[in-house]
Amino acid sequence: MLKNLSICLLSLALAACSQASLNATETLERLILENDRLTVFVNKSTGAVNYLTLDGQDLLGTANYVQPTPGGATGSGNSGIGPYLDCYCIPSGSYTPGSKNAIYKLYKGFDSTGTAYGGVAMSEVYPPTGQLLEQYWFLRDGETGLHTFSRLAYYNKTTPFLRNLQEFRTLFRPNTPLWTHLSTNEHFNVPQPQPNPAAGSTGVATTVQDATWYLGNRTSDPYVAEVSDYFTKYTLQDTWRDHDVHGMFADGSQQSANNSTFGAWLVMNTKDTYFGGPIHSDLVVDGILYNYIVSNHHGDGTPNITDGFDRTFGPQYYYFNKGVAGASLLELRKDALNYASPNWASDFYDSIAEYIPNYVPSLGRGSWQASLKLPDGASKPIAVLAQNYVDFQDNVLDTKAYQYWADIDAKGDVQIDRIKAGTYRLTVYADGIFGWFIVDDVVVDAGKHTNSGTLVWIPETAGTEIWRIGTPDKSSGEFRHGYTADPTHPLHPEEYRIYWGAYDFLNDFPNGVNFHVGSSKEAEDFNYVHWSVFGGYANFRRPEQEVGTGQINNWTITFDLGEIDLVSVSTATFTVQLAGAKTAAGNTDVFNETQLYNNLPFVVNVNGKDLEPWIIPYVETIPCLLTFPTSTLLSER
C-alpha cells in the first residue's frame, strides 16, 4: 500500500512539474505550444508554423513571399514558415491547406509516463473536391522537437477517381541567414549557397532547369568553391534504405547570440507509412528542410486519390538542437540520431493515438523474424515486408498497406518489430546477386511474434556466366561519373550527385562508347547514362542539341571467346538491366498523343542483327535519364 502511494505521489509531482513548464494555449490569431526551451506558434490564417524559437533564438526569420516560377520558389512561395503541410493533390496541381475555413483543435494532457504534452491539429476540407487535409504538431515537456502527422482523406462516390497524389510533404522553410550548411547524411554535408536560389534568393545565378542553377560566376561562394558550379535540389537527395536524419546547420557565424550553433533536423523515426520501400529516393534539403512523404521523383510510383482514400502519414520528428560556439555539424547531427528509431516515443504515440485517425498503436502491431541461407557472393542483404503479391516498389497500389525493412546480419538472421498486423510479401535482395527472393502470404498478427524459420534463396541463372559489365546493386554508380569522388573540389562529392550538365558526354566519349570486355574499365570507359541525343535545353555549356552520327545513341560492346567457352554451347543469353528510363511521358505517367516516344523502344543489335525491341511503357518512366546497372552474357549448355 505504501509503495503504491509513493508511486502515486511521484506521478502527481511529475505531472505538476510538467504542467508548470508546458504551455498549450489558443488566441484569436494563433495556437501556442511552448516549454522551457522551444516556442511554436501555428498561424490560424495560414495553417503553418510562423514563429519558432529555441532558447530565444529565432529559427525561422521574417515571413517572405516570392512568386512561384519554374526553377524558383516552390510550393506556395512563402518562406519564414514551417513545419507546414503542402501537396500536389488538387486537380490544378499544388496546394497549401490552412487558409480556407480550416478548423483547429488544441490538445493538452499527460502521456503514460506522466510527461505533459500539447498538440495542435489543423483540418481543412478543400471546397471544390471535398478532400480532407490535416496536419498535426505535438510538443512534449523536456523536448525540443515537434512530432508530426499528416493526413489526406477523400470520400466521393460521384467522382470516385480524383487524380494521383503526386506530392505530399511537410516543409521547414526559414528566411534567415542563420543557416549556413545543408546535411544529407553522415557523409554528405555542404555549405549553403549564398544567397540560396532554392530558398527564393537567386542573386548571381542562371536558371538552367527546374530548381537547378549555374553558379559558376560566384567566385567567392563557398558552395561553388567546395562542391560544384551547379546547385540543384537533386544534389542533396538520398535513398531511404539507410536514411534516418537530414537537416540544416548554423555554424554560429550569422545572427547567432554568443556564436552558438544550431541544427534543424527531420528525423525519420518511422518509415512504414511512406511508399516505395528502401529503394525509394527523394529530396531531403536544399535550403528548405523537407519531409517528402509521397512523390514521383526519380520515377517512383504514387497512389491514386480514389473514393475511400484515407491515410495518415507519420509520425516523423522535426528536431531542433543547440551547440556551443564551435560545435560541429556532425556533433549536432549525431545528437539528432538518438531519436531515429521506431521504438523511441512509441509510448507517447500510444498515449495520443485517440487523436490521430488511422494511427496504429502498439496493441495493433506484431514482430517477425527469419533466417536466410543466402547465395555465395551476396553482400549487403536486406529483407523487405510490403504489400502482398506486389513488387514493393509498387506498393502504392494498396493505400492501406505499410512497409518495413531491415538488414540481414552476417549469420543470415533478421528481425523486424512494430509491424502493423497484416499479410505481407517478403522480398530479399543483395548486392552482387541478380533478382530477388520472394515469399508471399507472410502473416503478422497483433501482439504476436511470427517466425518464418529458415529460408533458402536459390538465385536465378541462365547458365554459366561468360562476362559481366557492372554490379547488380540497383545503381549505375560503378560507371563513369557515378560513385567516383570529384577530384576538382575539396569536399569531393560523388560525381553522380552533380548536375548532369557538368559532364560533357561528347568530350568524354568523342568516338562514342566502345567497351571491350576484359580490357576496358567500367569507371572510365562506360558512361553512367545512355543518351539518345546530347545537349540542348538545360545544358548551360552546350545549349544546342547534338544528334551525332551514331556515336551518341549507339554503344558498342565487344568481347573475345575462346574455344573452351564454346564447348557444347548452343545458346547464349544476353541480359540488360536498366535502373531508369525516360520516355516522352517524362514524369507524368500520361500518354501524350503529340509525342512519338510515349512507349520507348530499346533495341539491342547482336552481330548486325536487331533483336526484338524492349518496349519501355509510358507508365514506367522517369524525368531523368537512361541508366545501366549491369549487362551480362551467359551460356546455356
Side-chain angles (χ1 to χ4, degrees):
M1 181 67 180
L2 289 175
K3 181 179 180 181
N4 290 338
L5 179 61
S6 64
I7 292 175
C8 180
L9 290 172
L10 177 59
S11 298
L12 288 172
L14 287 171
C17 178
S18 298
Q19 191 174 25
S21 56
L22 193 289
N23 179 35
T25 56
E26 181 176 1
T27 70
L28 290 176
E29 295 84 18
R30 65 182 66 94
L31 298 103
I32 301 168
L33 301 175
E34 62 181 337
N35 58 25
D36 287 343
R37 299 190 62 196
L38 194 71
T39 299
V40 178
F41 293 176
V42 176
N43 188 309
K44 288 183 177 180
S45 66
T46 63
V49 172
N50 69 336
Y51 181 82
L52 196 155
T53 65
L54 175 61
D55 295 335
Q57 173 68 52
D58 180 8
L59 302 184
L60 280 174
T62 57
N64 188 40
Y65 177 78
V66 175
Q67 180 66 38
T69 57
T74 56
S76 66
N78 291 292
S79 60
I81 57 174
Y84 68 97
L85 179 63
D86 184 82
C87 74
Y88 201 98
C89 65
I90 62 174
S92 61
S94 61
Y95 183 64
T96 301
S99 62
K100 297 184 185 298
N101 299 314
I103 297 172
Y104 293 88
K105 291 183 180 179
L106 184 70
Y107 306 105
K108 47 187 170 182
F110 299 91
D111 64 18
S112 59
T113 69
T115 303
Y117 69 84
V120 173
M122 181 279 296
S123 180
E124 180 189 287
V125 175
Y126 180 64
T129 63
Q131 290 164 272
L132 176 65
L133 295 157
E134 293 185 337
Q135 179 64 30
Y136 296 81
W137 304 263
F138 284 87
L139 174 66
R140 285 203 294 179
D141 187 28
E143 295 181 348
T144 58
L146 291 169
H147 303 265
T148 61
F149 299 82
S150 307
R151 180 188 178 201
L152 172 63
Y154 179 72
Y155 293 91
N156 189 329
K157 296 189 182 302
T158 303
T159 309
F161 173 78
L162 181 65
R163 59 157 301 145
N164 73 313
L165 179 55
Q166 188 161 321
E167 284 191 354
F168 201 66
R169 62 186 186 173
T170 57
L171 305 88
F172 172 78
R173 190 171 183 176
N175 180 41
T176 169
L178 175 74
W179 304 105
T180 57
H181 291 74
L182 309 173
S183 175
T184 292
N185 54 41
E186 180 183 2
H187 308 289
F188 191 59
N189 307 284
V190 303
Q192 185 172 197
Q194 300 295 336
N196 185 345
S201 302
T202 304
V204 180
T206 302
T207 301
V208 293
Q209 188 173 279
D210 173 46
T212 303
W213 298 268
Y214 175 75
L215 308 179
N217 295 327
R218 297 185 182 184
T219 56
S220 60
D221 193 308
Y223 176 88
V224 174
E226 298 180 38
V227 186
S228 173
D229 287 349
Y230 292 91
F231 180 72
T232 173
K233 58 188 179 182
Y234 299 106
T235 290
L236 291 111
Q237 62 81 38
D238 209 7
T239 303
W240 275 187
R241 174 173 176 169
D242 298 315
H243 189 86
D244 295 307
V245 169
H246 56 270
M248 304 174 69
F249 173 70
D251 65 9
S253 64
Q254 303 293 323
Q255 295 187 0
S256 173
N258 303 315
N259 299 115
S260 296
T261 56
F262 289 90
W265 311 96
L266 190 282
V267 181
M268 293 168 62
N269 53 317
T270 68
K271 301 175 185 175
D272 57 358
T273 57
Y274 293 105
F275 292 113
I279 297 178
H280 178 93
S281 60
D282 224 315
L283 314 182
V284 294
V285 65
D286 61 3
I288 305 168
L289 176 54
Y290 298 103
N291 178 19
Y292 256 102
I293 299 166
V294 178
S295 90
N296 65 348
H297 290 136
H298 309 153
D300 289 307
T302 59
N304 288 327
I305 305 173
T306 58
D307 177 43
F309 185 105
D310 194 336
R311 189 173 177 98
T312 301
F313 302 90
Q316 282 82 48
Y317 188 53
Y318 275 93
Y319 178 60
F320 307 96
N321 57 1
K322 178 182 178 181
V324 298
S328 70
L329 181 155
L330 291 178
E331 288 177 280
L332 271 66
R333 185 181 183 279
K334 184 178 180 181
D335 173 44
L337 276 171
N338 290 321
Y339 309 103
S341 165
N343 294 312
W344 174 74
S346 59
D347 290 343
F348 170 60
Y349 300 137
D350 287 345
S351 297
I352 62 172
E354 62 180 302
Y355 305 127
I356 312 297
N358 307 316
Y359 177 73
V360 181
S362 299
L363 289 175
R365 297 174 182 261
S367 59
W368 168 86
Q369 74 173 81
S371 179
L372 278 299
K373 288 189 176 181
L374 302 169
D376 292 339
S379 63
K380 293 184 64 180
I382 184 173
V384 184
L385 292 176
Q387 183 181 344
N388 204 26
Y389 289 101
V390 171
D391 186 314
F392 66 77
Q393 296 172 94
D394 295 326
N395 62 4
V396 296
L397 299 176
D398 181 358
T399 60
K400 306 296 183 185
Y402 283 28
Q403 60 179 24
Y404 304 88
W405 63 83
D407 291 337
I408 300 170
D409 68 20
K411 296 180 180 179
D413 296 332
V414 62
Q415 179 165 326
I416 303 176
D417 299 321
R418 295 192 59 75
I419 302 170
K420 175 188 174 184
T423 304
Y424 294 86
R425 163 177 282 193
L426 166 66
T427 304
V428 177
Y429 64 92
D431 288 1
I433 306 297
F434 285 108
W436 324 78
F437 173 72
I438 291 173
V439 177
D440 285 304
D441 298 318
V442 176
V443 177
V444 176
D445 293 318
K448 295 183 179 180
H449 181 75
T450 299
N451 189 337
S452 292
T454 299
L455 305 171
V456 180
W457 179 7
I458 299 175
E460 302 174 23
T461 179
T464 302
E465 185 172 286
I466 297 174
W467 56 259
R468 176 193 299 175
I469 301 174
T471 304
D473 63 355
K474 308 195 171 39
S475 82
S476 57
E478 65 270 37
F479 301 127
R480 187 163 186 171
H481 302 310
Y483 294 142
T484 299
D486 175 10
T488 65
H489 291 85
L491 288 183
H492 305 301
E494 293 169 301
E495 290 187 343
Y496 83 91
R497 288 190 171 278
I498 305 306
Y499 181 62
W500 63 269
Y503 312 120
D504 193 287
F505 177 81
L506 294 171
N507 287 337
D508 288 342
F509 296 93
N511 300 311
V513 171
N514 293 276
F515 191 95
H516 188 77
V517 176
S519 58
S520 297
K521 300 177 181 178
E522 283 93 339
E524 298 175 7
D525 302 315
F526 207 83
N527 207 41
Y528 78 120
V529 58
H530 187 124
W531 297 102
S532 57
V533 295
F534 188 74
Y537 171 74
N539 192 313
F540 181 75
R541 298 190 181 280
R542 194 183 286 271
E544 297 298 322
Q545 190 175 86
E546 300 279 352
V547 177
T549 57
Q551 80 276 28
I552 298 176
N553 65 334
N554 290 318
W555 293 19
T556 301
I557 299 172
T558 55
F559 53 92
D560 299 317
L561 290 181
E563 290 186 10
I564 192 171
D565 298 309
L566 300 174
V567 173
S568 301
V569 172
S570 59
T571 305
T573 300
F574 178 57
T575 302
V576 177
Q577 290 191 326
L578 301 182
K582 178 183 178 181
T583 79
N587 67 344
T588 65
D589 292 347
V590 175
F591 192 91
N592 185 343
E593 293 182 354
T594 66
Q595 296 292 333
L596 180 61
Y597 293 112
N598 287 280
N599 298 317
L600 180 70
F602 182 78
V603 180
V604 175
N605 180 292
V606 179
N607 292 336
K609 179 181 179 181
D610 286 350
L611 304 185
E612 182 179 351
W614 177 7
I615 304 299
I616 302 167
Y618 72 93
V619 293
E620 299 290 343
T621 180
I622 62 174
C624 303
L625 315 165
L626 185 66
T627 57
F628 287 105
T630 51
S631 298
T632 58
L633 182 68
L634 303 104
S635 63
E636 296 178 358
R637 300 180 185 276

